[in-house]
Amino acid sequence: MRWLKGVILAIILIVVLLLGILFAVNNQQPLPLDLIWVQLPPASLSLWLLVALACGVILGMLAMMGIYLRLRTLLTRAQRHNQQQRKELDRLRTQEFKEST
């Protein structure tokens, strides 16, 4: 089952890669990017879209970093608390065993 998942993922990756290459080849005309305060030099449409995608991915990762770190801290605290509870339970079980004998 694991190999089937890998094969399907590889096929999807190859199809997306081929579509990206096809898109880049068909959009070679240079276009200047005009922002409100600056006009960037002409470059291909595919380059501008790839730059926008990369910026979006980086901004998304930075936005999720705070949530990830907060959840990681909560997990560490919960694991520490769980370990303390296990030690307490083991201590109580040993104490109960000593009292019953």
Side-chain angles (χ1 to χ4, degrees), residues 88-98:
E88 178 72 16
L89 182 61
D90 288 342
R91 188 184 62 77
L92 289 173
R93 283 182 180 162
T94 337
Q95 182 181 2
E96 181 181 318
F97 180 71
K98 288 179 182 178

Side-chain angles (χ1 to χ4, degrees), residues 5 7 11-12 17 25 37 49-50 65 80 93 99:
K5 182 179 176 183
V7 169
I11 291 171
I12 291 172
L17 185 64
V25 168
W37 59 89
L49 289 175
L50 285 174
M65 188 65 71
R80 194 175 311 127
R93 283 182 180 162
E99 289 175 359

Side-chain angles (χ1 to χ4, degrees), residues 38-71:
V38 66
Q39 184 172 2
L40 298 174
S44 68
L45 177 62
S46 58
L47 177 67
W48 289 127
L49 289 175
L50 285 174
V51 168
L53 175 68
C55 289
V57 167
I58 291 170
L59 287 175
M61 288 172 60
L62 289 174
M64 292 302 297
M65 188 65 71
I67 295 170
Y68 173 77
L69 291 175
R70 183 173 52 89
L71 290 174

Side-chain angles (χ1 to χ4, degrees), residues 1-11:
M1 188 64 158
R2 181 174 239 169
W3 66 271
L4 181 63
K5 182 179 176 183
V7 169
I8 291 173
L9 185 63
I11 291 171

